[in-house]
């Protein structure tokens, strides 16, 4: 059991408190970033390009100043601690291995600058090559390795001095899909085995969902929501999060009534629908009705609580599933995802079709960019 004070710093091992950043003294590229990462937690910063993710990592690593606010590691403000003394490992998209050094020398480098004795360096290099399953690669040069192997070396090098925190900035961005998925498992395994606190940056939502304990969803310098993957998918705070995490159908509307935990929405085409979403905006406000494609059905004679009409446009065969695309008279495009079984209907192009979903199948959310 941890004592009260220990558990407190462990719960808030890495802290960003009201952090703002401007590079030009004018525009804030990070507007007010707050985060508490637990010791050993895997936290991902997810968001579009330019939303401020790398800037946050660089401030934590000590390569960029904080314009205002503070960053703490294990309860200590880091402002006056040099990057090298923060005990942080880093992995970047483009490996950053020294091309003129062998793999063994690349791995030894962070230990040598830390004045670790030679025999200890030798032992740790061997161990860490084994850890990333490259035991026989010590004498090779980076140019003789594949992209995936180079990234494993970069990973081993970031871990070799046993940092308590590891920052990873789109580390798998240069790899193709299969290799990327394999490396996701490797990183998760290393994280579980070694117990470091991971702050991971990606713009790939699937990667974020599969790897993270928690995800902070960035949008233009602010965090729209920070929560576990399940919460982001099932209870998104607003329509930006709902669209960024997973696929979604969006129909603009207005909230007309909120009562007994249910809300009535008038959609842009005039139809009235009901939702039981706790994050619904108040009555009178504009909203975005969002429905996951797996929660929207072609009525086929039976309808659920909510129905609308739309015209069939195309059908996409995806192997295990089929996607049907529709257009509402108000212009919104909709997608229905069904299993590829013998129930999957055949529709004529342009056919007016009733689509239906349950009260719990759709969310009325704040409209965001
Ligand atoms: P992300 O990692 O989410 O793509 P960044 O943190 O790299 O976003 O960038 C956020 C914003 O800050 C962008 O508009 C980018 O152009 C700007 N920016 C990033 N680094 C610098 C820099 N060194 N000098 C000036 N502007 C920068
Ligand atoms: Mg970046």
């Amino acid at each position: 059991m941890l004592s009260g004070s220990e558990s407190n710093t462990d719960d808030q091992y890495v802290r960003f408190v009201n952090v703002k950043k401007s590079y030009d003294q004018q525009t804030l590229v990070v507007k007010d970033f707050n985060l508490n990462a637990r010791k050993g937690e895997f936290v991902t910063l997810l968001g579009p390009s330019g939303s401020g993710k790398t800037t946050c990592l660089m401030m934590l690593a000590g390569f960029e100043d904080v314009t205002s606010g503070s960053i703490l590691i294990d309860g200590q403000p880091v402002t006056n601690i040099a990057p090298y003394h923060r005990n942080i490992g880093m992995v970047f998209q483009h490996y950053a291995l020294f091309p003129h050094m062998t793999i063994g020398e690349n791995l030894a480098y962070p230990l040598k600058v830390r004045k670790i004795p030679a025999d200890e360096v030798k032992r740790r290099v061997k161990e860490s090559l084994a850890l990333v399953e490259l035991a026989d690669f010590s004498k090779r040069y980076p140019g003789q390795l594949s992209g995936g192997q180079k990234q494993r070396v970069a990973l081993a090098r970031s871990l070799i001095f046993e940092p308590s925190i590891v920052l990873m900035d789109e580390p798998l961005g240069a790899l193709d899909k299969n290799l990327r998925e394999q490396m996701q498992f490797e990183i998760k395994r290393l994280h579980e085995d070694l117990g470091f606190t991971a702050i991971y940056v990606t713009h790939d939502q699937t990667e974020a969902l599969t790897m993270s304990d928690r995800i902070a969803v960035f949008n233009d310098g602010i965090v729209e929501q920070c929560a576990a993957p399940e919460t982001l998918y099932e209870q998104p705070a607003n329509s930006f999060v709902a669209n960024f995490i997973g696929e979604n159908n969006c129909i603009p509307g207005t909230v007309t009534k909120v009562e007994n935990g249910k809300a009535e929405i008038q959609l842009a085409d005039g139809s009235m629908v009901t939702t039981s979403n706790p994050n619904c905006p108040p009555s009178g406000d504009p909203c975005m009705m969002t429905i996951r494609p797996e929660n929207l059905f072609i009525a086929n004679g039976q309808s659920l609580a909510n129905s609308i009409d739309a015209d069939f446009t195309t059908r996409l065969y995806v192997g295990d599933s089929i996607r049907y695309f529709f257009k509402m008279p108000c212009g919104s495009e909709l997608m229905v995802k069904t299993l590829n079984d013998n129930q999957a209907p055949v529709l004529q192009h342009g056919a007016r079709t009733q689509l239906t979903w349950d009260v719990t199948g759709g969310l009325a959310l704040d409209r965001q960019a």
Side-chain angles (χ1 to χ4, degrees):
M1 263 307 268
L2 295 167
S3 77
S5 66
E6 270 170 334
S7 76
N8 187 40
T9 49
D10 277 2
D11 280 350
Q12 308 187 338
Y13 192 64
V14 175
R15 290 189 74 193
F16 285 79
V17 185
N18 301 123
V19 170
K20 297 184 172 72
K21 174 69 179 178
S22 172
Y23 287 103
D24 60 3
Q25 260 77 201
Q26 282 186 336
T27 28
L28 290 173
V29 298
V30 174
K31 288 171 185 149
D32 186 19
F33 184 45
N34 291 280
L35 178 77
N36 288 326
R38 215 171 52 240
K39 191 167 196 171
E41 194 174 18
F42 197 113
V43 178
T44 295
L45 315 184
L46 171 71
S49 176
S51 57
K53 309 179 297 292
T54 295
T55 300
C56 288
L57 280 199
M58 289 299 160
M59 292 189 287
L60 175 55
F63 300 125
E64 284 294 345
D65 290 338
V66 170
T67 303
S68 72
S70 51
I71 298 177
L72 299 92
I73 296 175
D74 201 12
Q76 301 297 314
V78 293
T79 320
N80 296 316
I81 305 176
Y84 160 76
H85 285 119
R86 294 187 189 188
N87 198 27
I88 292 177
M90 293 201 71
V91 189
F92 304 96
Q93 181 172 342
H94 294 293
Y95 326 123
L97 300 176
F98 300 117
H100 60 286
M101 290 185 191
T102 64
I103 301 311
E105 288 163 353
N106 264 283
L107 289 179
Y109 185 81
L111 300 177
K112 287 190 174 152
V113 299
R114 286 171 174 79
K115 311 254 186 298
I116 308 280
D119 52 344
E120 168 87 5
V121 170
K122 211 170 151 193
R123 186 181 64 77
R124 284 218 225 160
V125 167
K126 200 170 165 210
E127 264 179 23
S128 91
L129 279 170
L131 195 65
V132 294
E133 289 157 12
L134 291 173
D136 302 329
F137 286 70
S138 177
K139 297 275 187 295
R140 293 214 207 171
Y141 286 88
Q144 298 170 301
L145 267 55
S146 72
Q149 290 167 335
K150 276 190 267 197
Q151 198 50 292
R152 285 205 217 150
V153 176
L155 199 57
R157 188 180 57 176
S158 78
L159 299 170
I160 201 163
F161 58 95
E162 297 171 355
S164 57
I165 302 166
V166 180
L167 310 184
M168 291 179 255
D169 195 353
E170 315 237 7
L172 311 181
L175 307 180
D176 65 35
K177 187 170 175 287
N178 284 342
L179 200 52
R180 209 160 64 218
E181 285 171 3
Q182 193 187 328
M183 286 295 293
Q184 288 170 5
F185 278 109
E186 297 248 340
I187 293 174
K188 280 302 282 175
R189 175 180 64 85
L190 289 168
H191 173 250
E192 274 158 30
D193 289 355
L194 304 174
F196 53 84
T197 304
I199 315 283
Y200 191 95
V201 163
T202 182
H203 64 269
D204 179 337
Q205 47 112 356
T206 314
E207 189 164 297
L209 287 176
T210 53
M211 298 186 76
S212 320
D213 294 318
R214 268 188 315 149
I215 303 170
V217 182
F218 274 62
N219 177 23
D220 197 16
I222 65 156
V223 172
E224 298 280 5
Q225 190 173 10
C226 181
E230 299 80 5
T231 310
L232 291 180
Y233 192 80
E234 288 160 26
Q235 291 158 26
N238 57 47
S239 62
F240 179 86
V241 177
N243 285 321
F244 206 79
I245 309 281
E247 295 171 306
N248 234 323
N249 292 299
C250 290
I251 313 168
T254 308
V255 183
T256 55
K257 190 164 115 188
V258 181
E259 203 175 81
N260 303 327
K262 285 192 183 170
E264 266 178 27
I265 317 294
Q266 181 164 39
L267 300 181
D269 70 347
S271 52
M272 301 298 296
V273 298
T274 311
T275 176
S276 58
N277 170 28
N279 294 338
C280 183
S283 179
D285 275 18
C287 69
M288 191 63 88
M289 188 71 216
T290 65
I291 312 153
R292 297 277 180 205
E294 66 270 24
N295 293 335
L296 184 63
F297 304 95
I298 297 166
N300 224 350
Q302 288 175 335
S303 55
L304 301 166
N306 300 306
S307 298
I308 44 138
D309 286 333
D311 299 330
F312 173 65
T313 55
T314 26
R315 173 182 185 272
L316 206 67
Y317 178 83
V318 203
D320 60 345
S321 66
I322 295 179
R323 285 148 199 237
Y324 295 85
F325 293 85
F326 298 88
K327 192 164 187 171
M328 290 175 69
C330 64
S332 295
E333 312 245 9
L334 302 173
M335 194 224 308
V336 171
K337 190 158 107 184
T338 63
L339 282 177
N340 180 14
D341 53 21
N342 49 19
Q343 315 274 309
V346 177
L347 298 171
Q348 298 299 317
H349 182 84
R352 178 63 50 103
T353 311
Q354 192 184 34
L355 303 179
T356 185
W357 71 96
D358 215 343
V359 174
T360 53
L363 305 172
L365 298 169
D366 259 343
R367 273 193 225 172
Q368 301 277 306

